[in-house]
Amino acid sequence: RWLAEQFDTLDDVLHALALVGSPSADALAFVQGLGELFTARLLSEELRRRGLPAEFLDAREVLVVQHGELGVAVDWQTSAARLAEWRAAHPGNRAVITGFIAREASGRITTLGRNGSDYSGAIFGALFDASEIQIWTDVDGVLSADPRLVPEAVQLPALSYDEACELAYFGAKVLHPQTMAPAIARGIPLRIRNTFAASNPGTVIAAARADDRNPVAGLTTITGMAIVGVEGAGMIGVPGTAERVFGALHRAGVSVVMISQGSSEHSICCVVRDRDADRAVAVLRDAFARELDRQQIQAVTATGDVSVLAVVGDGMAGTPGIAARLFEALGKSRINVRAIAQGSSERNISVAVGSADAARALRAVHAGFYLSAQTLSLGLVGPGQVGAALLDQLAAAQQRFRSESNLDLRVRAIATSSRMLLDDRGIDLGSWRERFAAEAGDLDHDALLAHVHAPHLPHAAMIDCSASSAVADRYAAWLAAGMHVITPNKHAGSGPAARHGAIRTAAAQSGARFRYEATCGAGLPILSTLRDLLDTGDEVLAVEGILSGTLAYLFHRFDGSRPFGELVLEARACGYTEPDPRDDLAGTDVARKLVILGREMGRESALEDVAVESLVPAGLVAGSRDDFLAGIAALDAPMQARFERARRDGRVLRYAARLVPDGRPTVGLVEVDPGHPFAHIRPTDNIVQFTTRRYRDNPLVVQGPGAGPEVTAAGVFADLLRIAAALGARL
């Protein structure tokens, strides 16, 4: 009956407004508030029906407000007095109160505007002197970042009032700053709860944050901004310039979101809404027209398409290194910062970045402060033996790295020379073989690059486990785009000098890393040892080594009792050689490794500069693989003769490489004394001996397994983890 009367009244009001042609402000406020009025009355009646007595309060009976430049202000004294009268007449302990609506002192009906219902809740919590104010919404509480931009955002158990106000101002949608004002004034905790997950404790907002383990509470962004700048030598040391800038903007009704000024006073820039940028420039040019004419002010400009990223946390105050971590995270993600601002409270550091970089910046900084996992978007080219072993190793380690190191190694692309499989959320490495066989499409190199180097992910790496020179041709472009490159593919390091130089230049200019430890000795630290020697100022006199696991195996087994060709077939059957053993016996693979080592030492050597002794008889170089295997006995006599000669001299045969600073690199058979380190290696081992100024009398030796998919994949994996650690992962 009450609702029917209300709808009759509404019908009359709407009919009158239809005759007038447009609603007055009073009529609009009346109609807008009816939804709150109806639902509050319905809820109070339903509670009574369930045996839970509840008083219904129309807020317009007690709440008195006035609208001002800073928003809606409550007349606390009058409202408290009216509430006291209402409570005397309604002594029950449960009340259902309308939100959003109120009256002005004159008695006119009004509304509290945007976010008015939450604001009403906070106002009445303060008027009732509540021990806690709960705001029920559709999220679990305040999150560390916008989950639409950072899916890894976490729920914050607690925030201080100041932190919540900063986050709310900079766009966090959970609470409006105005809502918190009544609670802050009386020190009442606010709790954000989820209507659809009532068991979740939500986020408590109080005078101080109980959980202070992380100095940063959360991050947020405002999009649709523009930077307006005033610059000129005539501003230096002139009092009142800033006042004129912001006075002009105030008179034009332009709200300033962020301010930045260099200590030189040569320029002032501020961030405003993009829609206000043209107006801001116009009023500033008008305000400084005389200075512009005299060229005391050189320019008044606006740059659009800007977003502001804010890092917020009470714990930032007095904590060294916060700004460093922020800019390190942005720098490693190749995000250009256009303006910076920090308040004296140190509770907020704000940076302006291009809108195209905003999501990537937010994710990078979120991970940089360990609010979420450090995510690397990975693409793998060449899922053959080494690539497949690497994917299996990643599958076994992914969960451990997420839980222990806050590192998310996310394989988002797998490609062969002709096909590729892409997945936005990451490929399940437990079933990648089946998915690749069923779902892979045609290879598109541009699409592969764009997918792995997605703009919303801060870091990306391409792993090349192929043996393709064509893939190595793409390294420079990948690095120039900001993608790290990791590879055991020897073609990049030993191929044309121009390509190698382009790769180095692209890495230096972009800051992306090129890691290739596994190109020499699989998982052995050969290149890193050489770099350490050089970086610490040592002088390398000679590098010698057995760099082929296949040839190490053959000459470890070759004792003259069995034909050499028979041992080659045995090694092939065991999987130690390439499908065509000539690829191993020709020595080209070892020569490539020697070129890589030489370039690491600063020598601009090329593959053709290496003197290589091939073990393939001249008559078997050409022809098919089957022809070679059929005629493999041609290896026996020459190798037997070499063996007998070495044995007569009390030595053993080894296939070794040698590099000296001023001589020609050589690869071939050598005879070594039984006491030489090369004489005692195990089958498939690699060994490298560094003779340096420091290690002249007792050379430094690196030895271990130098062949096999598992150890090569482990070397690639180690390079990947080195990059992750450099990006901030806690390894």
Side-chain angles (χ1 to χ4, degrees), residues 182-206:
I184 294 171
R186 289 161 177 77
I188 303 172
L190 275 161
R191 187 182 295 270
I192 311 301
R193 302 287 297 277
N194 190 343
T195 309
F196 306 103
S199 60
N200 191 307
T203 299
V204 176
I205 303 171

Side-chain angles (χ1 to χ4, degrees), residues 656-674:
R658 178 176 171 81
L659 177 67
V660 293
D662 299 323
R664 186 181 184 188
T666 61
V667 171
L669 272 179
V670 297
E671 300 176 4
V672 298
D673 293 327

